[in-house]
Amino acid sequence: MKKILITGYTGFLGTNLTNQLLSKPGSYMVYGTNTNTPITDIKNYTKDCDFVFNFAAVHRPQNIEEFDQINAQLFSYLIECLEKNKNNCPVLYTSSIQANDDSAYGHSKVHGENILKKHTEKCESRGIIYRLTNTFGPYARPNGHSVVATFCYNIAKNLPITVSDPNHILHLQYVGDVIKEFMKRLEEYGEGMYEFHEIPAQYIYEISLQKIADYLYAFEEILKSNKLPVCKTEFQKKLLATYLYYRE
């Protein structure tokens, strides 16, 4: 049984990955941490974990210093614990396409990437970076960092939405596809590598804000008549699955 350490395990990515791991009885044990986890637990988890998924992050903090504190320094402490425990297990760090931006958030993500790179060089361990774009799906927090979650939640609860720029194009990826990619990295063999990965292009959906709103309103009208909408594309199927989660 592999022991998997997930930081931010009660968040969007963490919840989806934990559910996937626990759907395979006897295969994985999950060590989960969040903002309430005692430091002593992190020290203990890093003694014998077999793989680390670092999802702990902030996107819109009240204090700009939190970007570096959570997105980089907390990760740095985790790496220090692994090194003190002489644990060279693989580490997957979720970065962002905004790492290329000149912003506090982007800088914090680059800082985290560099921390992992130095660790892999020092310990000859495996470091995996995913620079993610806008991810949608069940468990994303509405009225937070996910516009799809906000639209789904508000429309399902009969609340208004604001389409600030109807023609604004989003590049979206579905959380189920992201988790499948993460599982591939977990289950494949790799040693002594520093890897940059991207979600395959066929799983990136380009769509306008207005089109997302139109789909969701259409779903709701059909569901009100106790019928299930017919989806013609993979994106529509994934958007419907997301909407049904918020409609429960």
Side-chain angles (χ1 to χ4, degrees), residues 195-207:
E195 312 165 14
F196 269 95
H197 288 273
E198 295 181 349
I199 303 302
Q202 66 264 33
Y203 298 129
I204 306 294
Y205 302 99
E206 188 175 288
I207 189 167

Side-chain angles (χ1 to χ4, degrees), residues 60-76:
R60 290 188 175 90
Q62 294 182 344
N63 190 325
I64 196 171
E65 282 76 22
E66 291 182 43
F67 278 128
D68 195 59
Q69 291 169 359
I70 304 299
N71 298 351
Q73 296 302 329
L74 183 61
F75 180 56
S76 179

Side-chain angles (χ1 to χ4, degrees), residues 40-127:
T40 52
D41 285 357
I42 296 176
K43 291 179 179 178
N44 289 330
Y45 294 156
T46 51
K47 288 179 180 178
D48 65 348
C49 60
D50 299 304
F51 201 107
V52 175
F53 289 92
N54 187 82
F55 298 152
V58 292
H59 303 272
R60 290 188 175 90
Q62 294 182 344
N63 190 325
I64 196 171
E65 282 76 22
E66 291 182 43
F67 278 128
D68 195 59
Q69 291 169 359
I70 304 299
N71 298 351
Q73 296 302 329
L74 183 61
F75 180 56
S76 179
Y77 176 75
L78 173 68
I79 293 298
E80 288 176 14
C81 289
L82 286 171
E83 292 180 357
K84 287 179 181 178
N85 288 321
K86 295 181 172 54
N87 186 343
N88 294 342
C89 72
V91 178
L92 186 150
Y93 179 84
T94 48
S95 187
S96 167
I97 57 170
Q98 294 180 41
N100 293 317
D101 297 346
D102 186 19
S103 64
Y105 176 70
H107 292 165
S108 70
K109 285 300 187 180
V110 171
H111 189 180
E113 292 177 5
N114 290 334
I115 289 169
L116 182 55
K117 184 176 183 180
K118 290 178 181 178
H119 170 68
T120 59
E121 292 171 347
K122 177 181 177 180
C123 300
E124 297 183 349
S125 60
R126 185 184 182 204

Side-chain angles (χ1 to χ4, degrees), residues 130-146:
Y130 270 91
R131 286 186 173 178
L132 301 178
T133 185
N134 298 303
T135 308
F136 74 98
Y139 302 106
R141 180 165 51 89
N143 301 302
H145 66 274
S146 171

